[in-house]
DNA sequence: CCTCCGCATGTTAGCGTTAACATTGCCTGC
DNA sequence: GCAGGCAATGTTAACGCTAACATGCGGAGG
């Protein structure tokens, strides 16, 4: 034993503790279990991590000792030693709006099966806290990362690359991903919606759009497509993100104020669209007679508004699930051929158009 | 230098590494930064954690070195050394149903300000995975814990107590909490709802109740209160949790099948209640003429169903926020006088009753 | 009967950080 | 002019675990 210990420190008085000495913490550790089981700490570690390498009898003894001591492993220490933390971090703007909640749910469910835990970061709208959050999260050395959107600061991108872990960027495919991506084309959503409404015969258009990165891509593409189709003079209202029903009511009020009393309105979210429906009802406008409404998201209530809402459906559970699969495949050492998955979208036609 | 290093190991051939030696990891560490800045690792650590104890000039130099190296601290190592991880874990049954999402949102938002990160565990319905989850989560040595419900297995309670960290149990106040609690009385919700409907003059009653721990307390208390009020023969339907709209439609169908064509129905959730409203409409029943409906949760859509839903409102953001405050107070070393907070509830009377 | 192999277990050192002291130099006060 | 104190920085060991080797032992093969 070459290290100096308190007991063989002859130069200091009996009770003085050596440099670096700390009070005992009183928590049960591997070696406590080992002592009780009459084996080495390493054997206990093996019982926990690769029991098949330990004799059945020994496993039994050790398991009993673990139970008796109430030992709870310390994954900080384990992670430090192995550089594998069994942690996956996810950053989403917000979780209370249910659109990302579904995603996180399926992601977490899948990862939990594989023994991974979820570190959750909420970056807010706009992703103001993202940079700091990425830093804080990388400090915990997660094994993989789930991000929302593909636009990050240069600094963030550098850090993310430097982390050398699987990274899935979701919801968007417009920028070249850092590593992997699961999402769909927001530009195509805008274009297809415009075309859909045009094909249905509408000739007057409006948009109530959130000032969110991805929402912007959608309604700008919608506007651009309408221009291509020869439609000029599209009324547009913007609202901050996250959106809610009241912003929708308010939005329709503003549109009416601008003289938009007839035509089709593309809303950035189902919540906005729902607000528009209610405001229309309150004002005695007929839907889709006077105005037609398209939402985005196909949240649970969309099928049950009155009239039922035409909207764009995204399989948000699939986003989480597929992201989990990509991550797990990579963590299992497999090479992922398709690093970008387009989950697509569907325009669900109901009564509001 | 008393420790044996590869270079002074004379007994082994030139290139053989000693026992325990590992390949270098190539990540930037504190001492890399220290070397570049020409100070000791400890000084760098101080710059990061308590810069006020370091000379301004040194801070400057070190900060530059940190930036130049792209150093990302390792909180696993830090946490191991300090036993403080700046991690708070939360376990909720599910997050996609928006009721707990709101809670987690406000909790995370508040904790993030204080520099804590969120470790999220989803235990499912019924809390099947709770025990394993608690174990996995405690392995990460969180500084505090946020739990849903107050009923945990004996094993779990022991482990939780043993963790010696602040624990907030939420949504329920019916059992004696392990440590702290933020919630309300589900029994009182059931009782007050029954009384409310009785006072409104209804004399025939039904319930569509989820088989969830807390929901059960509500509808059992509702049934018990009705019995006290002299009402016998209450029709009751149970559904698995988590509930959805379709279960509500189905539930009303079953009630009608049992001959319940008139009276008041207490539903375990707004989703169920919404389903009931839609099924009633589909079947040409008038609400509240034929049947009256009360939901639970006051989710965003509740005010906008047709007819608008009478329901029980819980301030779910408050649950998260108050839990965060309790946790932060305790982590700041303050003694918390009120360890149990009743956030109460409100019966919101709308058109469906 | 000896060698060799492979299984079960042990030993050592290191993962990257920080607590707890130690040290150094400078300034204050008498 | 010197003790004493404080401010800034350094040194050591420890946190609890596991990778990478080392060791010991029993049995198969010659």
């Amino acid at each position: 034993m070459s290290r100096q210990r308190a007991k063989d420190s002859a130069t200091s008085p009996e009770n003085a503790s050596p440099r670096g000495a700390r009070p005992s913490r009183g928590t049960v550790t591997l070696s406590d279990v080992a002592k009780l089981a009459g084996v080495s700490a390493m054997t206990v570690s093996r019982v926990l991590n690769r029991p098949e390498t330990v004799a059945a009898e020994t496993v039994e003894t050790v398991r009993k000792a673990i139970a008796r001591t109430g030992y709870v492993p310390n994954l900080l220490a384990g992670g430090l030693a192995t550089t594998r933390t069994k942690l996956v971090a996810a950053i989403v703007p917000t979780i209370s709006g249910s659109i990302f909640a579904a995603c996180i749910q399926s992601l977490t469910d899948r990862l939990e099966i594989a023994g991974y835990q979820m570190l959750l970061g909420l970056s807010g709208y706009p992703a103001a806290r993202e940079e700091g959050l990425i830093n804080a999260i990388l400090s915990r050395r997660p094994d993989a990362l789930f991000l929302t959107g593909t636009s990050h600061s240069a600094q963030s991108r550098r850090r993310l690359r430097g982390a050398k872990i699987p990274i899935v960027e979701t919801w968007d495919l417009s920028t070249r991903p850092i590593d992997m991506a699961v999402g769909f084309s927001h530009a195509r959503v805008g274009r297809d919606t415009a075309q859909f409404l045009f094909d249905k015969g509408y000739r007057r258009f409006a948009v109530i759009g959130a000032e969110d990165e991805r929402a912007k891509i959608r309604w700008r593409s919608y506007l651009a497509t309408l221009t291509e189709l020869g439609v000029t003079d599209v009324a547009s209202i913007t609202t901050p993100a996250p959106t809610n029903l009241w912003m929708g009511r308010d939005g329709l009020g503003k549109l009416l104020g601008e003289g938009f009393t007839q035509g089709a309105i593309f809303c950035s979210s189902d919540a906005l669209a729902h607000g528009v429906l209610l405001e229309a009802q309150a004002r005695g406008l007929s839907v889709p007679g006077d105005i037609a409404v398209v939402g985005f998201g196909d949240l649970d209530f969309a099928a049950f508004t009155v009239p039922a809402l035409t909207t764009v459906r995204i399989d948000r559970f699939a986003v989480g699930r597929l992201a989990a699969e990509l991550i797990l495949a990579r963590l299992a050492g497999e090479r992922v051929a398709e690093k970008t998955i387009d989950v697509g979208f569907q325009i669900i036609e109901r009564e509001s158009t």
Side-chain angles (χ1 to χ4, degrees), chain A residues 144 165-169 177-182 321-342:
Chain A
I165 53 176
I167 296 177
V168 187
E169 292 168 277
I178 296 176
D179 181 13
M180 301 178 286
V182 177
R321 201 178 53 241
L322 291 169
E325 295 301 347
L326 284 179
I327 287 171
L328 290 172
R330 281 282 291 279
L331 290 177
E334 298 165 28
R335 187 147 302 159
V336 175
E338 282 306 322
K339 299 181 99 185
T340 295
I341 300 180
D342 190 337

Side-chain angles (χ1 to χ4, degrees), chain A residues 9 12 14 98 127 149 153 196 205 211 245 249 253 260 265 288 302 327:
Chain A
S9 159
S12 47
E14 194 65 10
S98 114
S153 72
F196 164 81
F205 299 89
E211 276 154 354
L245 192 148
R249 297 194 75 142
F260 184 90
I265 307 176
I327 287 171

Side-chain angles (χ1 to χ4, degrees), chain A residues 145-344:
Chain A
L145 220 45
F146 172 104
L147 299 175
T148 312
T150 55
S151 82
H152 318 285
S153 72
Q155 150 98 311
S156 294
R157 293 181 79 89
R158 211 173 314 123
R159 278 234 191 300
L160 291 169
R161 282 229 170 71
K164 287 172 191 148
I165 53 176
I167 296 177
V168 187
E169 292 168 277
T170 57
W171 288 101
D172 195 359
L173 298 176
S174 59
T175 329
R176 211 164 68 84
I178 296 176
D179 181 13
M180 301 178 286
V182 177
F184 57 96
S185 164
H186 291 264
R188 213 179 303 157
V189 168
R191 194 186 67 204
D192 286 10
T193 306
Q195 191 71 54
F196 164 81
L197 291 170
F198 191 86
D199 290 349
K200 287 216 64 159
Y202 294 98
R203 286 301 176 268
R204 305 206 52 197
F205 299 89
V207 62
I208 301 178
E211 276 154 354
D212 148 53
E213 198 79 42
R214 290 167 291 284
K216 268 188 200 163
I217 301 177
R218 296 194 294 273
W219 55 263
R220 283 183 179 156
S221 157
Y222 167 86
L223 293 176
T225 306
L226 289 175
T227 305
E228 284 170 26
L229 291 169
V231 179
T232 53
D233 190 35
V234 178
S236 75
I237 300 286
T238 61
T239 74
T243 57
N244 63 39
L245 192 148
W246 302 102
M247 294 173 178
R249 297 194 75 142
D250 196 46
L252 179 57
K254 282 187 187 148
L255 284 177
L256 295 173
E258 290 182 11
F260 184 90
T261 52
Q262 226 203 12
I265 307 176
F266 178 37
C267 300
S268 269
S269 72
D270 281 355
L272 287 175
H274 193 188
V276 168
L277 292 181
L278 292 165
E279 186 68 15
Q281 187 178 26
R283 302 222 185 194
L285 291 171
S286 111
V287 177
D290 296 319
I291 60 168
V293 184
V294 181
F296 178 81
D298 195 29
L299 299 191
D300 293 344
F301 65 80
F304 304 104
T305 56
V306 180
L309 186 64
T310 293
T311 187
V312 179
R313 175 186 294 167
I314 312 296
D315 187 344
R316 38 196 198 285
F317 285 97
V319 174
R321 201 178 53 241
L322 291 169
E325 295 301 347
L326 284 179
I327 287 171
L328 290 172
R330 281 282 291 279
L331 290 177
E334 298 165 28
R335 187 147 302 159
V336 175
E338 282 306 322
K339 299 181 99 185
T340 295
I341 300 180
D342 190 337
V343 297

